[in-house]
Amino acid sequence: MRETLLSTPEGVRDIYGQECERKHQLINSIEEVLHLYGNKDIETPTFEYFGIFNSDTGSAPSNEMYKFFDRNNNTLVLRPDFTPSIARCVSKYFPDEELPIRLCYKGNTFASTERHQGKLAEITQIGSELINDDSSAADAETIACVIDCLNAAGLEEFQITIGEVEYFKGILEEANLDSKIEDKIRDYIQVKNFFGLSEYISGTDMAEDTKNALNSLASLFGGEDILDKAESLTKSESAIQAIERLRKVYTALKYYEYEDYVSFDLSMINGYDYYTGVVFSGYTYATGNPIVKGGRYNSLLAKFGKDAPSIGFSIYVDELMNGLSRQGLDKNSDRKGALIVYIIEHQESAVRLARMLREKGTVAQLIRKSKKHEEDEYMTYSDMYDVGKVYILQDESTVRIISADRSVDEEKSIDDLEV
């Protein structure tokens, strides 16, 4: 019984201490960049009606959602994804707005993945959505914002890989395949099983040029030069337009001077079915999963009553923290606080000193001295909580100041302190 009380369910965990502080600082750094791009904050409910995320909107699979019922027997789910929620909000609160809407969010999503995969079921995300802008410039701006966010997070080496869903769709539409065959091909490409794809399509009667285009997807990865190769593999007008779109995005990213951060992968189609154009993922060293995903979803808002082109991204904060940690880039806060140790007779002076410190922006902890603990124990305690100085009240007007590295140990009048 006690073990159950102290444990967390599979897929979730506690975060505390320095890790929790670093996480909040990371989110704040990213949020500042999002605001600099003109994004306004939005908060959506942690749980919503099942219909917001069902198969019609192309969100997470039903069997991965945490479902429950309200008192009226409506099916509710913990949000597995932010984008459908924001699509609902925009359709409800901005039904007639035609100019760009920029929104940013932060919070947790919930997905019940298969056991023993080592994945978290509760994931912290932060990201943005740009509504009512269907331009390649908006695609480039969104990717540039991602790059600025990752730089602000302290990441030094990372890559944004860009794909185009319409290129893949164009090849399939030109081939006029049966829907079951299309779904099977999509499944192979989604998991990057190109050997399985090649074997599967070899047994179909599709045209040889279509087989060649699909088999070539595995090699359509790299720099700008692969766009020419991709274009040469198809006669589909929509696929060719998709390649031209990527060229425009790349040109705009060069204006940002961010071309070194990006590469292309024409086999990338991402997981959710609502993506309709440019898609992208971000990767860094020492992590096996993307740290960011995003893309264009021009058809999603129409399902909620507003026909509006949109693009957005989400940064996976927990995965980003893993990358920073494994690369030795997860620096602790350099903001050192103060610990004020006092006895009850000196409480008024201790409170006055704490207020003085806090007014100057210094974190100040008050701790009443106990006869059970020696002075050395309070010094050890201070080492655990990023304390820069320990203030020990000697009397109502005098304080002993000890620096964290013990290089300073002096007495001063409280009134003469320069805090």
Side-chain angles (χ1 to χ4, degrees), residues 198-244:
S198 180
E199 183 178 355
Y200 175 73
I201 63 178
S202 67
T204 68
D205 58 357
M206 70 175 65
E208 287 301 317
D209 57 346
T210 302
K211 291 181 181 179
N212 181 47
L214 290 173
N215 281 324
S216 296
L217 287 173
S219 63
L220 296 181
F221 177 87
E224 185 183 16
D225 57 300
I226 66 108
L227 299 181
D228 292 335
K229 179 181 178 181
E231 187 174 9
S232 69
L233 291 169
T234 179
K235 295 178 181 178
S236 164
E237 189 61 32
S238 60
I240 292 172
Q241 288 177 358
I243 296 301
E244 186 58 33

Side-chain angles (χ1 to χ4, degrees), residues 245-382:
R245 176 85 170 204
L246 289 180
R247 289 195 178 101
K248 292 178 180 178
V249 172
Y250 188 73
T251 296
L253 286 170
K254 287 195 288 188
Y255 298 152
Y256 286 94
E257 299 182 351
Y258 285 165
E259 62 268 30
D260 290 343
Y261 287 106
V262 301
S263 59
F264 296 98
D265 181 0
L266 272 301
S267 70
M268 178 185 295
I269 55 178
N270 275 4
Y272 293 141
D273 293 334
Y274 53 62
Y275 289 122
T276 59
V278 168
V279 290
F280 54 88
S281 296
Y283 300 89
T284 189
Y285 297 108
T287 63
N289 299 307
I291 54 176
V292 59
K293 280 187 176 182
R296 180 163 288 282
Y297 50 98
N298 286 353
S299 303
L300 179 60
L301 270 79
K303 298 183 183 297
F304 298 94
K306 180 181 175 67
D307 189 8
S310 310
I311 186 171
F313 68 88
S314 184
I315 294 173
Y316 300 93
V317 175
D318 306 277
E319 201 64 49
L320 176 56
M321 288 185 67
N322 285 338
L324 289 167
S325 176
R326 291 166 184 169
Q327 295 175 41
L329 300 173
D330 55 339
K331 299 179 176 62
N332 293 327
S333 172
D334 57 2
R335 186 184 185 190
K336 299 298 183 182
L339 178 66
I340 302 171
V341 183
Y342 67 96
I343 59 175
I344 188 61
E345 289 80 7
H346 304 149
Q347 184 178 22
E348 181 179 356
S349 296
V351 169
R352 181 162 65 92
L353 175 57
R355 292 186 62 188
M356 289 169 55
L357 291 165
R358 291 167 186 159
E359 286 172 0
K360 295 295 184 179
T362 300
V363 176
Q365 301 180 56
L366 282 163
I367 185 166
R368 183 172 148 188
K369 193 174 186 304
S370 169
K371 294 179 180 179
K372 297 179 182 179
H373 301 291
E374 299 297 328
E375 184 177 290
D376 286 347
E377 294 180 72
Y378 292 105
M379 295 303 300
T380 301
Y381 176 88
S382 72

